[in-house]
Amino acid sequence: MNDNLHQLRCFGCGARIRGEQANPIFRCAECDDLFEVEYPGWALANGTTRTGQSNTDRPNAGALKWLWRERRASSELLDHSGVWRFRELLPILNNFGHAVTLREGNTPLYHLPRTAKALGVDQLYAKHQGMNPTGSFKDTGMTAALSVAKERGFEWVACASTGNTSAAMAAYAARAGMKSLVLIPQGKIAWGKLAQSMDYGAVTCQLKTDFDGCVRVLTSIVQQAPIYLLNSVNPYRLEGQKTPALEIAEAFDWSVPEHILVPGGNLANGSALGKGFREMKALGLISRLPTISVIQAAGANPLARSFVRDGGQTLEPVKAKTRATAIRIGNPASWRKAAQVIHETGGWCLDVSEAEIAVAKAELGREGIGCEPASAVTLAGLKKLVVDGKIAPSDTVVLLLTGHTLKDADYTIDFHRGTLLEPEEAAPVQPEIDALRRNAIEVDATPEGVFAVLEQIQSRWV
């Protein structure tokens, strides 16, 4: 571990330790808050030390932009990763040869012209992290944190998960020849995600509790056995998850969009993106920060409630209930980090209903962009921000989509069959639902039968 280049700083009390000194649950011994990775040399202005000598630890912004662009055409395996391609900004390994990669990152940034026109926004994009190897944004964090575990000699890794984390961890553990343990809440995980962790060889335990209960059990386990914790409390996860910020800035020629909207579950993703943009600004790669807003489901909205109550100063856990299983978390670990990012960038935190999520997901589908339900909260939140006048027509907006549509195919099928929502849930947006539903129709096996159906629904096409 290259502790000459990085250290861990407690987000609460500011205590600093070497990476190897972190306890198994990555909590500060002084105040019990989370750590984040810090690179002391980067903070020195103009790349020089206080004695006037050259600071070789501080990256050169112009050189990095050129190097990262050149690596896109490289034949070296590590350069094919959208995380390790930016390895100068995550010097967390002693030897980059220990990096475990499945060619994660380098995900597409899709233009959404139809949705932009409907909302009156000039430029709207979706950064689709669901196009990662296991189908979610968790791959970018897992390649970083699991590589640390491998370099430190761990044989076992473990996580509590609502689905995406378990799939990513199991895949990367299998790639590294390591063993993995997954704890999931029974009956509260999409089958597409559970199937992945099984297929990648994880020991998968369904506990009779919710996600937060799984976290409590796992916390005890890693304190009793040499098992490396890979939930988002692990600060090295966030180092990988900050790299989409670099990809977004690079895609806009090192400018940044005015607004970025992020789904809010355990809240590490918004925290990581904020860290990435903050570090880029400090290093001179970009000139300003984008506004970052976090959107939660109304049934799993502890941070949104906190912002209404006291501006995000305190958090009261909730009993999470939402069909968007990836963000069904009532006691998010990284809420303080996320709240700081929202305040620092001038963003907002709000929640959206189950019906609003379902409609937004279907609308993204009409752009040819599929995503899991949790991703669609960003579009649902954007609609509210536009109505409230918090986003101007001239603004460039990026929605972060966190998971692939096939992660929860049952959700999509139930929506189009009309069985997803209760009547009282659907009532406020029933016209939008009716216009978007495309259920399969039983038709006689004749051209005439098909033409008859087309005539019936012609008026519904938009």
Side-chain angles (χ1 to χ4, degrees):
M1 188 61 54
N2 200 337
D3 287 304
N4 292 324
L5 292 180
H6 90 274
Q7 60 190 9
L8 300 183
R9 183 184 69 84
C10 173
F11 188 79
C13 68
R16 290 174 170 82
I17 63 172
R18 293 168 61 86
E20 63 204 25
Q21 295 175 315
N23 59 37
I25 60 173
F26 297 101
R27 292 280 181 176
C28 177
E30 301 298 325
C31 72
D32 200 44
D33 211 328
L34 300 180
F35 288 101
E36 64 180 4
V37 178
E38 182 179 72
Y39 305 100
W42 295 4
L44 300 177
N46 302 319
T48 59
T49 67
R50 290 170 182 164
T51 62
Q53 296 177 337
S54 174
N55 172 21
T56 57
D57 289 342
R58 184 179 173 88
N60 178 281
L64 287 178
K65 292 177 182 179
W66 178 87
L67 176 63
W68 295 335
R69 183 177 65 249
E70 291 299 303
R71 281 180 180 159
R72 293 191 71 96
S74 170
S75 60
E76 183 179 341
L77 177 61
L78 205 59
D79 293 340
H80 294 171
S81 165
V83 172
W84 299 109
R85 181 164 68 89
F86 299 108
R87 51 191 175 270
E88 287 76 16
L89 290 201
L90 53 157
I92 56 177
L93 296 177
N94 206 35
N95 182 344
F96 285 116
H98 294 148
V100 181
T101 176
L102 289 169
R103 300 189 182 187
E104 58 288 319
N106 295 324
T107 54
L109 183 70
Y110 294 118
H111 189 214
L112 305 177
R114 294 179 64 176
T115 308
K117 183 178 180 181
L119 292 177
V121 176
D122 287 349
Q123 297 294 327
L124 178 61
Y125 298 85
K127 178 64 171 172
H128 204 333
Q129 292 298 95
M131 305 305 285
N132 272 295
T134 75
S136 87
F137 76 100
K138 300 296 179 72
D139 291 351
T140 58
M142 204 56 66
T143 183
L146 189 134
S147 296
V148 171
K150 178 184 178 183
E151 186 170 75
R152 290 188 174 177
F154 282 85
E155 295 183 7
W156 279 87
V157 293
C159 72
S161 178
T162 57
N164 285 330
T165 299
S166 63
M169 183 193 72
Y172 282 83
R175 193 68 174 171
M178 300 169 70
K179 303 178 181 71
S180 59
L181 169 66
V182 170
L183 303 186
I184 60 173
Q186 189 174 48
K188 299 176 183 178
I189 179 174
W191 289 110
K193 301 172 185 178
L194 179 57
Q196 288 180 279
S197 64
M198 291 176 171
D199 208 31
Y200 302 141
V203 177
T204 304
C205 299
Q206 297 191 68
L207 306 189
K208 297 177 181 179
T209 183
D210 57 12
F211 171 79
D212 300 306
C214 291
V215 170
R216 288 191 292 271
V217 172
L218 185 59
T219 297
S220 178
I221 288 173
V222 298
Q223 290 176 304
Q224 299 177 52
I227 300 175
Y228 193 75
L229 181 63
L230 281 175
N231 277 98
S232 58
V233 295
N234 185 318
Y236 299 110
R237 277 271 306 272
L238 274 64
E239 290 307 286
Q241 286 174 209
K242 76 185 182 186
T243 54
L246 284 92
E247 292 185 16
I248 291 171
E250 185 181 53
F252 286 101
D253 196 23
W254 301 103
S255 179
V256 291
E258 278 73 28
H259 294 266
I260 296 178
L261 281 74
V262 187
N266 216 19
L267 300 175
N269 206 21
S271 308
L273 290 173
K275 186 176 189 291
F277 282 111
R278 187 187 309 121
E279 289 177 350
M280 281 191 283
K281 185 174 184 294
L283 293 171
L285 288 159
I286 59 176
S287 60
R288 62 175 177 84
L289 299 177
T291 296
I292 298 177
S293 295
V294 173
I295 315 298
Q296 296 193 294
N301 62 349
L303 189 63
R305 291 187 181 193
S306 173
F307 267 79
V308 171
R309 184 177 58 252
D310 59 16
Q313 299 304 306
T314 62
L315 186 106
E316 295 179 6
V318 302
K319 185 69 174 179
K321 183 180 179 181
T322 174
R323 297 176 184 85
T325 57
I327 54 175
R328 188 191 285 158
I329 298 171
N331 189 18
S334 298
W335 71 270
R336 287 188 180 88
K337 292 183 178 181
Q340 183 193 61
V341 167
I342 293 168
H343 283 299
E344 182 180 7
T345 64
W348 296 273
C349 183
L350 60 149
D351 58 24
V352 291
S353 71
E354 295 294 295
E356 289 169 331
I357 296 170
V359 167
K361 182 184 180 311
E363 288 172 338
L364 286 166
R366 297 296 295 276
E367 292 270 16
I369 309 299
C371 64
E372 70 173 350
S375 299
V377 300
T378 54
L379 176 55
L382 173 62
K383 292 180 182 180
K384 288 189 171 183
L385 292 175
V386 169
V387 169
D388 291 343
K390 293 175 178 175
I391 291 181
S394 59
D395 289 343
T396 297
V397 181
V398 174
L399 309 177
L400 199 81
L401 307 184
T402 48
H404 196 280
T405 187
L406 295 180
K407 286 282 189 173
D408 195 350
D410 288 345
Y411 181 102
T412 305
I413 293 170
D414 288 344
F415 173 83
H416 290 287
R417 284 178 174 170
T419 59
L420 178 68
L421 301 169
E422 297 297 328
E424 61 272 19
E425 292 179 301
V429 289
Q430 194 63 58
E432 292 95 326
I433 292 174
D434 292 341
L436 290 164
R437 281 184 55 210
R438 291 291 184 270
N439 191 21
I441 305 169
E442 291 188 8
V443 181
D444 290 336
T446 64
E448 291 76 16
V450 175
F451 281 126
V453 169
L454 292 178
E455 290 177 3
Q456 291 174 13
I457 68 170
Q458 184 66 31
S459 62
R460 293 173 53 194
W461 289 96
V462 294

